[in-house]
Amino acid sequence: MEVNAASLIPSFQDGLAGWTAGGDVSTGQHSGRHVAVLTTAHSTLDFDADAINQSGLDPLVAGGDLEDFVGIAPGGLDGDVLDQAMEGSALKLGMTVAAGDVLLFEWNLLTHDTMGVDYAFFMVNGVVVDTFSSALAVNAASGAFGNQTGFASMSYQFTTSGPVEIAFGVVDMTDYVGTSTLMVGNVAIPEPSVALLGALGIIPLFRRRRA
């Protein structure tokens, strides 16, 4: 589904309506936020602490299905020949933006990955823009998802106008041991404020009264 950035980006308060999901993707509440929850957990093959699959759907296989879903070449999510993506889940949205639009979001990576090699990613039009390593998940978290990075606020500015596709994902690296979870919330493109437009010289902040 494609939306206009001038309208509200579909909220996870309404589930995944408007978004396209691949793998184990669901929605819920965490730290007072409505979030999308993406895991690398298999529905039947992970056990004990790793058994955190939320949707009943299995992660996408890397080296093909996962990369196809987010629009990147096979192997495009690998680190190197010894650090390869194994599986993962992703969420994407098509929309139309204007040059200068700023996308805001918050994300939190939670993990049982003791090697610190799993990661989350944010993509625009098939290009990885930012990543979030499980090595940063050093904070204790309540629940079954393991340690967490804590929510970080992020922004991305679009430089050209037109249709775009954004994607969020989480990847199991090297092996299938130690599942990881990405939570994403408050995804939005705010309308430009009057103050910002004034600062840019687009409109005057104050007008003289006519004599």
Side-chain angles (χ1 to χ4, degrees):
M1 175 180 177
E2 184 170 302
V3 301
N4 192 307
S7 63
L8 291 177
I9 290 177
S11 167
F12 299 125
Q13 184 174 357
D14 302 319
L16 294 172
W19 295 80
T20 303
D24 180 30
V25 184
S26 60
T27 59
Q29 282 191 273
H30 194 278
S31 302
R33 300 166 174 84
H34 293 280
V35 295
V37 181
L38 300 76
T39 89
T40 62
H42 196 277
S43 61
T44 58
L45 299 181
D46 284 310
F47 302 96
D48 300 323
D50 285 340
I52 56 171
N53 184 282
Q54 301 293 294
S55 68
L57 300 176
D58 295 328
L60 301 177
V61 177
D65 292 345
L66 179 58
E67 290 90 341
D68 287 346
F69 181 81
V70 296
I72 195 172
L77 297 174
D78 293 346
D80 54 43
V81 67
L82 298 177
D83 191 18
Q84 297 185 341
M86 307 300 290
E87 62 184 351
S89 299
L91 184 67
K92 62 185 181 182
L93 176 71
M95 58 185 176
T96 301
V97 300
D101 279 348
V102 177
L103 178 75
L104 306 177
F105 63 90
E106 296 177 320
W107 61 356
N108 182 14
L109 184 60
L110 305 93
T111 190
H112 294 289
D113 172 36
T114 57
M115 295 178 63
V117 294
D118 292 355
Y119 72 93
F121 61 83
F122 165 60
M123 299 178 67
V124 178
N125 290 337
V127 177
V128 177
V129 172
D130 209 345
T131 60
F132 209 1
S133 170
S134 63
L136 300 175
V138 296
N139 304 302
S142 60
F145 297 106
N147 285 349
Q148 64 178 345
T149 58
F151 277 95
S153 299
M154 309 296 292
S155 65
Y156 175 82
Q157 186 171 41
F158 298 96
T159 57
T160 57
S161 301
V164 299
E165 183 176 83
I166 61 172
F168 300 96
V170 61
V171 186
D172 234 344
M173 299 295 290
T174 307
D175 57 32
Y176 298 99
V177 179
T179 51
S180 294
T181 301
L182 172 64
M183 295 183 180
V184 183
N186 292 329
V187 184
I189 296 181
E191 294 285 355
S193 69
V194 172
L196 176 59
L197 293 175
L200 296 174
I202 298 174
I203 60 174
L205 286 178
F206 302 99
R207 295 182 183 274
R208 291 181 180 273
R209 295 182 62 184
R210 291 182 182 272

